[in-house]
Amino acid sequence: MRYLQVLMAGFMMGPALTFAQQAEVAIADTTKVLPEVTITASRHKSDIATSPYSVEVLSRQKIEEFLYRSTPEALMAVPGVFVQKTNHGGGSAFVRGLTGNQTLTLIDGIRLNNSTFRYGPNQYLNTVDPFTISRIEVLKGSGSVQYGSDAMGGVVHIITQDPDYTSVSKFSGLAGGRYWSRDMEKTGRGQLVYSSPRLVALGGLSVKDYGSLFGGDTTGKQSPSGYGELDADMKLKWKLKEGMELIAAQQFVKQNNVPVFHKVKLENFALNEMQIQQRALSYLKFSIAGKNPFLQSISITPSFQQTAEVRRSQKNGNPSIRREEDGVSTVGALLDITSKFSQDWTSSSGLEYYYDDISSSKSDLNTSSGASVQSRGLYPDHSTYSNLSVFNIHQLRLKRFNLEAGLRYNWFEATIKDETLGTVKLSPAALVVNLGGNYKIASHNLHASFSSGYRAPNIDDMGTLGIVDFRYEIPSYSLKPERNYNMELGCRLKFNQWNASMTVFNNQLTDLIARTKVENEVISGYNVYKKENIEKAVIRGADLRLQWLPSKHWDLTAFTAYTFGKNLSKSEPLRRIPPLYGNTAIKYKLKKFYAAADLSIAARQSRLAQGDIDDNRIPAGGTPAWEVLNVFAGYQYNKLQIRLSAQNLFNEDYRTHGSGINGVGRSGLLSCTYNFN
C-alpha cells in the first residue's frame, strides 16, 4: 500500500516518458510538445511516436546526469525493463518478464548473445562500458523477425558513440574521474577524438576499481563483492566519397576477480568468483547509398567477437580449488539492404551469419598435495554452433496508417563433441512473422501488433555438464526451439504540456525448455537436472508512462510497469517475474546547472514458483517492497563538468527481486569531467 501511495503521489506531481526520452527534448516554449525521436529498433529509421511496436530510448545524457554505475543499472530507468543482479559485477535485464537467453542484446547491430548464453540471469550486459554508449533502444515484445533467435521478451540494442564529421580538422576529448564514498568506486576515463571533413577517429580508456558494496540500514559491508575493470574502445569513420563510408571499431573489457557474493555468504564457499570476465569485439561496416530504388542503401558488416570466463571456487575446509574456463570465438557477417519502392513503401532485407567455436575446460588443484586433475568443462570442448538467417520487412504508409510486416527464416547447426556419446549434430530451424500498425489522430497515436518469436536451443541448453546455480546439470540432445506469440495494444498521447503512453500485452510461450529433476540422482551434494521442451506459459502485463513539462526549466516524470506470469504446465507462477515497480523523477535545469531527484519503487513479490522458493537468493515468503530516493546535481564551469549524487537518502535496506546482493545504502558520488576541443 505504501508503494501505491508513493507512486500515485508521483503521478500527481508530474508523470512522464522514460528518462531517456527526456534527454531528446528541446522545448522552445510551453505550448510545444516533444519532437519525434528517431529510432532504428525495427532495422530502419522511424519516428518513435508512429512505430507500431513498443520502443523505449535511453540517452547518453540521461546516463551521464543520473550517474549510473553500469549499463544494466541504467536500464532500470526504462519502463518494462527490470534488472536482477546475481553479483555486483553482473546485471541481467528482464524485458517483459524474460531474461538471459530469452532476451536479445545487440551492440551496434551485432549480437552479444552467443550459443553459451544460459537460461535465467547472466552477467554479460555488464561487459558494456556505459562511457561508450550513445543511446540504448529497447524493443519490447518483438524482435525475432528483425534480429533473430532469443528475442522472445524483446531486444536491448546498445548503440555506441558515433562522432560527426566536421568542416575543419580538430581534436577534442575529455578526461574525468568518479569517486563513490567508502571506496565503493574509483573510476578514471580518458577519451580523444580527431574529426575532419572525411575522417573521424575516437579512442577511449576506462579504468575502474570497485570496492565491496555497502548496503542500507542493517546490511553494512557486503564482502567480498568488489572487483577491478579495464575498458578500451576505438572507432574510425572514413568517408570514402559521398554516399560511401567505412567504419572500423574495437571494444575490449576485462573484469578481474568478480566475487559471487551469495555463494560465499550462503553456500559454504571460501572462494567463489569470476577470476576473469572478458569480452572483445571488432567489426568493419562498409555502407553505400545507391540511386536504384531497389538498392537505396547497402551495408556489409563482418565482425569477430571473443568472450572468456574463468571461474574459481573452493569450499570451506576443502583443499581443492576448482578452475573452470569457457571461451567463445564468434565470426559474424551482416548484409543489410534498404529499398524504397515509392515515397510511402520501403523495405529492409538481408542476411545474417554467426559461427561460434567453444572451448571449455575444468581442473581441480589440491593445495595440500599439489596434484591437479583435468576433466570435462561445463560445455563439450571444441563444439561449434552456426546461425544463418534471411529476413524481409516492409513498411507502408497509407494516409493516417503506418503499417509494417515481415518474416525471417533461420537455420541452425550445432556440432557437439561429447566425450561419452561422440559427435552429435542437430539442425533446428524456425520461421517467424510480425505484423504491426499505427493509426495517427491529430498528435495522438494508437498502435497494435502481433509478433511470433523463437529461441533455438543452444550449446548451454544441450551440452551443459556441471554445477549451475544450486543444481547439477547433465546434457540433453533432443531439444527443439522455444516459441512465443506476442500481441499488444498501445497509445501515445501528446498535449500542450503533457505526454502519455500506455501499452498492454499478452505473450503466449510454448515448447519452453525447462530443467527436470532426475529422481534419486545426487552429484557433489547437488540434485541432478536435465532440460526438456515440456512447458507452456503466459506473460501479460502493462506499462504506463507520463510526462509533464510546465516550463522550459522543469521536467516531471513517472512510469510504472506490471507483469503477470504463469507456468501453465505446472499451474504455478512463472519463475523470476518482477514485481510491480516504477519510478518518479523531477528535474530542474538552467543553462549551466541542473538538479534532480528520483524515487524508485517496487512492490513485494510473493508470487513464487517452486524454483523461486528453492532459490536461496529470494527471502522466505518473497522479496520485500522497497522505495529508494536519490538526488542529483550538476554544474558546468567553463570546460569543467561537476556532478554530485546522494544515493538512497533514507538508507533503505533493499534487494531487487532475484538478486544475490542487496542494493547500495546511503552514500555519495562525485564525478568531474574536463572537456576540451
Side-chain angles (χ1 to χ4, degrees):
M1 179 61 70
R2 182 161 63 115
Y3 161 80
L4 293 174
Q5 291 172 343
V6 172
L7 183 59
M8 290 306 296
F11 280 126
M12 294 298 290
M13 286 174 60
L17 290 172
T18 65
F19 286 153
Q21 291 171 335
Q22 300 172 43
E24 311 294 340
V25 178
I27 307 168
D29 57 60
T30 59
T31 64
K32 292 186 178 181
V33 297
L34 287 171
E36 308 300 348
V37 177
T38 300
I39 57 170
T40 58
S42 291
R43 294 200 86 105
H44 67 99
K45 291 183 178 181
S46 62
D47 293 333
I48 194 170
T50 58
S51 171
Y53 306 107
S54 181
V55 184
E56 308 287 350
V57 181
L58 182 63
S59 74
R60 177 176 176 82
Q61 182 179 338
K62 182 55 63 176
I63 294 172
E64 291 178 341
E65 289 183 344
F66 280 63
L67 295 171
Y68 298 115
R69 185 191 70 90
S70 68
T71 299
E73 289 172 17
L75 282 168
M76 281 293 283
V78 179
V81 180
F82 192 81
V83 175
Q84 183 267 17
K85 290 181 61 178
T86 293
N87 54 58
H88 194 36
S92 191
F94 280 73
V95 181
R96 291 189 169 173
L98 296 175
T99 194
N101 56 23
Q102 294 176 319
T103 295
L104 178 61
T105 301
L106 305 168
I107 302 174
D108 292 338
I110 299 166
R111 295 174 66 93
L112 176 63
N113 294 43
N114 60 42
S115 57
T116 65
F117 263 43
R118 58 183 176 270
Y119 167 78
N122 58 50
Q123 77 282 6
Y124 305 107
L125 191 59
N126 196 46
T127 65
V128 180
D129 184 4
F131 289 112
T132 67
I133 296 173
S134 171
R135 70 182 188 277
I136 303 176
E137 297 180 0
V138 180
L139 176 61
K140 298 182 291 186
S142 183
S144 288
V145 169
Q146 297 93 327
Y147 296 106
S149 180
D150 303 0
M152 298 174 71
V155 178
V156 176
H157 189 181
I158 299 165
I159 300 167
T160 61
Q161 291 188 64
D162 190 28
D164 292 327
Y165 299 100
T166 54
S167 58
V168 296
S169 299
K170 68 174 187 176
F171 284 94
S172 61
L174 62 85
R178 289 164 46 124
Y179 178 76
W180 203 349
S181 60
R182 298 181 176 180
D183 282 339
M184 287 190 287
E185 178 184 357
K186 288 175 283 188
T187 290
R189 169 70 178 180
Q191 182 174 299
L192 182 65
V193 178
Y194 169 77
S195 57
S196 70
R198 302 184 69 87
L199 184 68
V200 175
L202 177 150
L205 182 69
S206 303
V207 180
K208 306 173 184 178
D209 180 13
Y210 296 112
S212 287
L213 188 67
F214 282 78
D217 197 17
T218 58
T219 295
K221 187 176 183 179
Q222 300 173 95
S223 180
S225 59
Y227 62 97
E229 179 175 332
L230 175 68
D231 304 90
D233 56 281
M234 179 277 292
K235 182 175 283 188
L236 178 70
K237 294 171 57 178
W238 183 17
K239 187 185 292 185
L240 302 174
K241 64 180 183 179
E242 197 62 35
M244 186 181 296
E245 184 180 60
L246 179 66
I247 298 176
Q250 167 73 39
Q251 301 166 16
F252 174 81
V253 58
K254 184 177 182 181
Q255 297 166 340
N256 297 310
N257 305 112
V258 184
V260 185
F261 173 73
H262 77 279
K263 292 280 188 181
V264 176
K265 184 74 172 179
L266 301 175
E267 297 184 22
N268 196 35
F269 278 94
L271 172 70
N272 197 300
E273 68 175 13
M274 302 283 188
Q275 184 183 18
I276 296 175
Q277 205 164 263
Q278 183 173 302
R279 181 180 62 83
L281 169 64
S282 304
Y283 71 84
L284 291 172
K285 182 176 182 179
F286 175 73
S287 56
I288 182 170
K291 295 181 180 180
N292 188 320
F294 295 97
L295 298 173
Q296 188 184 47
S297 67
I298 302 173
S299 68
I300 301 171
T301 309
S303 64
F304 181 65
Q305 188 163 204
Q306 288 183 303
T307 62
E309 182 178 310
V310 179
R311 301 178 296 276
R312 291 198 309 165
S313 61
Q314 181 182 23
K315 290 275 189 164
N316 286 310
N318 189 331
S320 180
I321 297 178
R322 172 160 293 178
R323 188 180 191 273
E324 299 176 276
E325 183 171 354
D326 301 320
V328 182
S329 297
T330 303
V331 176
L334 311 178
L335 170 64
D336 278 289
I337 300 172
T338 300
S339 304
K340 188 172 184 178
F341 306 110
S342 72
Q343 189 64 30
D344 299 316
W345 179 17
T346 60
S347 78
S348 307
S349 55
L351 291 166
E352 290 189 355
Y353 177 74
Y354 293 92
Y355 177 84
D356 290 350
D357 189 357
I358 295 101
S359 62
S360 186
S361 62
K362 179 171 64 177
S363 64
D364 291 286
L365 173 65
N366 190 307
T367 56
S368 298
S369 65
S372 179
V373 178
Q374 306 290 323
S375 57
R376 180 195 190 274
L378 182 62
Y379 308 115
D381 196 28
H382 299 302
S383 294
T384 62
Y385 193 85
S386 298
N387 177 347
L388 174 64
S389 62
V390 57
F391 65 90
N392 185 237
I393 306 167
H394 289 259
Q395 304 88 33
L396 184 63
R397 290 187 178 182
L398 296 173
K399 294 183 179 180
R400 295 180 178 273
F401 285 97
N402 182 29
L403 306 176
E404 186 168 308
L407 56 83
R408 174 185 289 253
Y409 191 76
N410 221 149
W411 300 266
F412 302 88
E413 182 176 87
T415 302
I416 302 172
K417 300 180 179 181
D418 190 278
E419 294 178 354
T420 303
L421 301 177
T423 300
V424 179
K425 287 192 175 183
L426 297 96
S427 300
L431 174 68
V432 287
V433 300
N434 65 1
L435 299 166
N438 182 86
Y439 182 69
K440 188 176 182 66
I441 308 172
S443 60
H444 311 305
N445 289 274
L446 307 176
H447 70 272
S449 67
F450 168 81
S451 300
S452 62
Y454 67 103
R455 187 186 72 82
N458 62 16
I459 299 296
D460 181 77
D461 294 312
M462 297 181 285
T464 299
L465 176 66
I467 298 171
V468 179
D469 290 335
F470 47 89
R471 65 185 70 82
Y472 194 98
E473 291 190 8
I474 59 176
S476 179
Y477 298 132
S478 59
L479 300 174
K480 57 185 179 181
E482 299 179 323
R483 294 188 177 272
N484 76 297
Y485 305 92
N486 182 77
M487 294 178 288
E488 71 173 44
L489 293 171
C491 63
R492 302 180 182 97
L493 310 177
K494 288 190 175 184
F495 303 96
N496 285 345
Q497 296 178 342
W498 292 84
N499 299 276
S501 69
M502 181 176 181
T503 305
V504 295
F505 67 92
N506 186 84
N507 194 1
Q508 299 284 337
L509 303 102
T510 63
D511 294 324
L512 291 177
I513 297 171
R515 298 178 176 99
T516 59
K517 186 176 180 181
V518 180
E519 295 299 328
N520 302 318
E521 287 285 343
V522 177
I523 299 178
S524 300
Y526 291 85
N527 292 324
V528 177
Y529 288 77
K530 66 180 298 185
K531 294 173 181 174
E532 298 177 345
N533 292 94
I534 58 171
E535 291 186 354
K536 296 181 179 180
V538 62
I539 303 175
R540 58 177 66 101
D543 54 68
L544 171 67
R545 48 188 182 145
L546 301 161
Q547 182 172 35
W548 183 37
L549 302 167
S551 77
K552 64 181 181 180
H553 300 299
W554 289 94
D555 189 339
L556 293 92
T557 74
F559 73 77
T560 188
Y562 172 73
T563 308
F564 173 89
K566 184 175 182 180
N567 185 320
L568 301 176
S569 303
K570 294 183 177 180
S571 295
E572 68 172 12
L574 197 61
R575 283 206 65 189
R576 302 187 179 97
I577 290 294
L580 175 70
Y581 70 98
N583 181 280
T584 299
I586 180 172
K587 177 180 171 183
Y588 176 78
K589 188 167 186 177
L590 292 173
K591 290 183 178 180
K592 296 183 178 182
F593 170 80
Y594 76 91
D598 81 329
L599 178 68
S600 296
I601 41 190
R604 179 171 179 256
Q605 181 54 289
S606 57
R607 292 191 70 253
L608 305 178
Q610 186 59 48
D612 294 328
I613 295 171
D614 295 338
D615 191 335
N616 57 22
R617 291 169 292 191
I618 298 176
T623 303
W626 50 265
E627 302 92 19
V628 173
L629 177 65
N630 307 310
V631 296
F632 310 88
Y635 183 73
Q636 181 79 41
Y637 179 74
N638 293 328
K639 296 181 179 181
L640 179 64
Q641 176 71 60
I642 301 172
R643 294 186 174 97
L644 297 167
S645 172
Q647 303 279 328
N648 196 354
L649 284 184
F650 299 121
N651 209 27
E652 179 91 351
D653 209 352
Y654 77 102
R655 172 177 295 197
T656 57
H657 182 59
S659 296
I661 191 166
N662 284 5
V664 67
R666 186 187 295 121
S667 55
L669 198 154
L670 169 65
S671 170
C672 295
T673 304
Y674 181 81
N675 297 275
F676 57 90
N677 49 36

